[in-house]
């Protein structure tokens, strides 16, 4: 599960590097297979984005963050939420309240991702207890063009912000009096600065120029494209409505390196479906 791998990675439960790399890759594959929808609860939600980031899968964490289909952090936003809910689907897509009997519209647990937003996306965190020394390490990713965080520390306001304009990244930090900060920029620059306002501009390249998707693309490649798995699922269900209840679960169980063509070959009389899926993929 997503939570099991996030726990193992974050708490150092795997004794060697090869095991950690394998676990991180498996966690990323689980996300891809699930269409980058969150599947954690109270324990895993605060850990999963950090586990991905520290393992070299920052873009997977961003995909998870920016997903709008339920379950996700942004699904409630699309439903007009201004608070964190107790369930990912406390309000159903048709506007009805979830009838599970355990639904609060003002809960804290899933909002734990805000900690990662401050420390990783915006880049503001303590390097020593009490913020006597700070760490400013913003990590931009696909889907956002700017971010900022500020905090009133015992020494004054600390802040870190960035703006992405094309392939130039501008970073600005404010370090309170009588403190110092460790700076880590995505370009690889590492330095220490004292109190005051500091600004840098560095090159930054986001992932662009993705190849077109075809029937010979893998499930993993389709899952990495926003809306990819949904487009495939919708095309299949349009032809075979009886698959609606289990199509996404079924795709999630298939090896991510399997091509779309091979995965759909398991469906009898698949030729019309293949044509529809090919058309759907060409529009992504």
């Amino acid at each position: 599960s997503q939570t099991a791998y996030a726990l193992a990675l974050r708490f150092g439960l795997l004794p060697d590097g090869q095991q950690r790399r394998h676990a991180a890759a498996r966690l990323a594959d689980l996300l891809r297979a699930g269409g980058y929808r969150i599947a954690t609860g109270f324990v895993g939600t605060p850990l999963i984005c950090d586990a991905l980031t520290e393992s070299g899968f920052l873009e997977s964490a961003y995909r998870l963050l920016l997903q709008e289909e339920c379950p996700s952090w942004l699904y409630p936003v699309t439903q007009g939420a201004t608070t964190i809910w107790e369930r990912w689907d406390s309000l159903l897509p048709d506007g009805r309240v979830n009838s599970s009997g355990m639904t609060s519209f003002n809960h804290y647990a899933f909002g734990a991702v805000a900690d990662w937003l401050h420390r990783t996306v915006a880049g503001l965190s303590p390097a020593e207890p009490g913020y006597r020394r700070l760490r400013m390490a913003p990590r931009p990713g696909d889907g956002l063009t700017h971010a900022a965080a500020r905090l009133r520390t015992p020494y004054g306001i600390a802040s870190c912000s960035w703006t992405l304009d094309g392939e130039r990244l501008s970073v600005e930090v404010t370090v309170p009096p009588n403190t110092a900060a460790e700076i880590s920029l995505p370009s690889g620059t590492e330095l220490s600065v004292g109190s005051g306002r500091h600004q840098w501009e560095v090159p930054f390249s986001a992932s662009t120029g993705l190849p077109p998707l075809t029937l010979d693309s893998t499930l993993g490649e389709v899952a990495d494209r926003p809306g990819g798995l949904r487009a495939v699922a919708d095309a299949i269900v349009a032809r075979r409505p009886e698959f609606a209840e289990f199509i996404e679960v079924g795709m999630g169980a298939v090896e991510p390196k399997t091509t779309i063509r091979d995965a759909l070959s398991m469906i009898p009389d698949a030729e019309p479906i293949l044509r529809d899926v090919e058309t759907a993929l060409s529009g992504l």
Side-chain angles (χ1 to χ4, degrees), residues 127 131-137 159-160 171-185 189-200:
Y131 288 86
R132 180 63 181 268
R133 189 171 182 86
L134 301 100
R135 178 167 174 79
M136 312 285 202
S159 67
C160 184
V171 178
E172 183 174 309
V173 306
T174 299
V175 182
N178 302 311
T179 68
E182 303 167 2
I183 307 298
S184 175
L185 301 178
T189 300
E190 302 274 345
L191 65 156
S192 295
V193 298
S195 59
R197 181 173 294 177
H198 309 273
Q199 189 169 5
W200 299 269

Side-chain angles (χ1 to χ4, degrees), residues 2 28 31 38-39 49 52 56 59 86 103 125 138 141 162 184 193 195-196 202 235 240-241 246 273:
Q2 294 179 14
L31 291 175
I38 189 73
C49 287
L52 291 165
E59 290 307 317
E86 184 175 8
T103 294
S125 63
W162 58 265
S184 175
V193 298
S195 59
V202 296
R240 304 292 291 271
F246 60 87
I273 296 176

Side-chain angles (χ1 to χ4, degrees), residues 53-113:
T53 301
E54 293 169 359
S55 303
F57 290 94
L58 175 66
E59 290 307 317
S60 294
Y62 264 88
R63 288 290 309 276
L64 191 64
L65 173 72
L66 298 176
Q67 173 63 260
E68 294 184 5
E69 294 181 11
C70 189
S72 68
W73 284 291
L74 292 188
Y75 166 75
V77 176
T78 69
Q79 300 298 306
T82 57
T83 55
I84 298 296
W85 299 345
E86 184 175 8
R87 301 176 67 95
W88 298 113
D89 60 349
S90 286
L91 193 69
L92 302 177
D94 61 8
R96 291 183 296 115
V97 175
N98 193 310
S99 60
S100 65
M102 188 186 73
T103 294
S104 163
F105 286 96
N106 193 6
H107 221 62
Y108 80 95
F110 294 150
V113 70

